[in-house]
Amino acid sequence: MPLDVNVEKWIETLPKDVFKPKNVEEFRRYMDEGVKLIMGFSPKIEMKEIYKIEINGTETKIPSYIYIPKNVQTDGTLVYFHGGGFIWGSSLSYDNILRYLANYCNCKVASIDYRLAPEHKFPAAVIDAFDSIKYFYETDKKLAIAGDSAGGNLAAVVSILSRDVGIKLNAQALIYPTVGNDIFSQSMREYSNIFLTRDSMRFFSSMYLSNQKDILDFRFSPILAKDHKNLPPALIITAEYDPLRDQGESYASILNTSNVETVQIRFGGVTHGFISLLGLIPSAEVALQIVSSFIKSRFNK
């Protein structure tokens, strides 16, 4: 279907340099400015409480923000990992999404401010993400994870790591995740010049990874894990005009063939990053409603 006109207009407002980043500081500044504009479209859902904690991780203290909605219907916790190419993003930049998920999941949401590259190279983000799961699992036996883009990568990886140590997660929701190194898929060839460009993806990888060998590590490429059996039920959301579309859908197929309960939904007419346009395009709200319904259904089983 045609590219959503509001998505197209939004992309046109972005500085051209954001698609070909040259340095981290400039990219972060552009993204921060973009978030301020987007937040203006999204209604601010009131929470019962929002507070900050610090998790004592194996390598560092991990800042995390806890969102408590006015209507809590489960003692389960949804742990969310934000996107941003592993080099940008925070709970603050995802505040509207976190409020939405907490409100419609009717559960506590914990947002993890994992360490960012290039100050902290791979696997620092993975270590922080897994440490946060181990922390919440000690008190919240009902635990689900979700994330978008780079955060979707972390959620997929942590699902595997959790299974391997006996942590049973209720669900994983992966929103246009990166799950491996993809060069030749149809979506990568056709859509790597619209929003998430080939230049930006190369830049993110160069900032995050210590060397090219890291590409073959399942903690970066969960699609390469030796075993995908016995992983938590999965929801995988992809976007039509996203270069990461095909790898996300391939991962869904791998989970299905490994007898993991998996739902995969492709949103038409939108690009990578579309859930951030909450309040601007209907697809963003629909996607978050689907995530919320999926998480609630898994908590209630």
Side-chain angles (χ1 to χ4, degrees):
M1 61 186 296
L3 185 62
D4 185 291
V5 63
N6 287 316
V7 173
E8 198 168 13
K9 289 178 180 178
W10 168 64
I11 292 174
E12 289 173 356
T13 66
L14 299 173
K16 300 305 178 186
D17 288 345
V18 77
F19 304 114
K20 295 184 178 182
K22 299 179 181 64
N23 62 72
V24 172
E25 292 75 18
E26 182 181 63
F27 178 79
R28 288 172 177 168
R29 184 175 70 253
Y30 287 145
M31 293 300 290
D32 286 341
E33 291 172 357
V35 163
K36 289 179 182 178
L37 292 174
I38 292 171
M39 289 291 186
F41 296 110
S42 181
K44 194 169 185 177
I45 299 173
E46 291 298 321
M47 295 284 102
K48 179 180 179 180
E49 187 179 9
I50 300 174
Y51 61 92
K52 180 182 178 182
I53 64 171
E54 284 194 335
I55 297 169
N56 289 318
T58 55
E59 294 187 349
T60 187
K61 290 185 181 296
I62 308 162
S64 305
Y65 287 82
I66 312 300
Y67 285 69
I68 309 292
K70 291 184 175 181
N71 181 21
V72 178
Q73 296 180 355
T74 177
D75 56 357
T77 297
L78 171 62
V79 179
Y80 195 88
F81 304 115
H82 66 77
F86 301 104
I87 69 171
W88 171 85
S90 66
S91 298
L92 179 61
S93 55
Y94 271 68
D95 180 71
N96 59 337
I97 292 171
L98 298 168
R99 288 171 182 265
Y100 195 99
L101 288 173
N103 189 58
Y104 286 91
C105 287
N106 304 123
C107 71
K108 178 170 68 176
V109 172
S111 175
I112 312 302
D113 283 352
Y114 55 87
R115 287 173 291 172
L116 299 176
E119 294 87 351
H120 305 282
K121 293 279 192 175
F122 171 86
V126 175
I127 292 169
D128 290 354
F130 190 35
D131 282 348
S132 69
I133 291 299
K134 289 185 286 187
Y135 170 83
F136 286 107
Y137 191 70
E138 289 181 0
T139 55
D140 303 316
K141 297 306 181 184
K142 281 187 177 181
L143 201 61
I145 58 176
D148 66 293
S149 194
N153 172 278
L154 294 174
V157 171
V158 167
S159 292
I160 297 170
L161 294 173
S162 296
R163 175 205 61 189
D164 291 347
V165 298
I167 294 176
K168 188 173 178 60
L169 300 173
N170 288 68
Q172 56 176 321
L174 316 179
I175 305 170
Y176 37 77
T178 174
V179 292
N181 187 44
D182 173 20
I183 302 174
F184 300 115
S185 72
Q186 180 181 350
S187 64
M188 185 63 67
R189 287 183 282 109
E190 291 189 4
Y191 302 124
S192 58
N193 61 349
I194 296 179
F195 171 66
L196 180 62
T197 63
R198 196 177 293 272
D199 286 335
S200 61
M201 286 183 280
R202 286 174 180 153
F203 180 71
F204 299 151
S205 293
S206 69
M207 294 293 101
Y208 182 50
L209 301 179
S210 299
N211 55 67
Q212 287 300 303
K213 291 181 181 179
D214 290 339
I215 291 173
L216 302 177
D217 190 321
F218 83 91
R219 294 174 299 171
F220 174 71
S221 299
I223 201 168
L224 298 180
K226 293 181 180 179
D227 181 9
H228 295 90
K229 295 178 181 178
N230 301 314
L231 291 175
L235 167 66
I236 299 180
I237 289 176
T238 60
E240 180 181 5
Y241 289 86
D242 183 358
L244 303 186
R245 183 195 71 197
D246 290 350
Q247 61 177 274
E249 294 176 4
S250 293
Y251 194 64
S253 296
I254 288 173
L255 294 184
N256 266 316
T257 57
S258 299
N259 294 318
V260 175
E261 181 183 339
T262 306
V263 177
Q264 188 269 308
I265 301 172
R266 179 193 295 185
F267 277 76
V270 292
T271 65
H272 189 84
F274 76 91
I275 67 162
S276 295
L277 301 181
L278 184 62
L280 184 62
I281 61 171
S283 295
E285 184 167 5
V286 172
L288 291 176
Q289 287 177 349
I290 290 172
V291 171
S292 300
S293 296
F294 175 71
I295 298 299
K296 285 174 66 174
S297 70
R298 299 313 307 180
F299 278 156
N300 292 331
K301 282 199 172 183

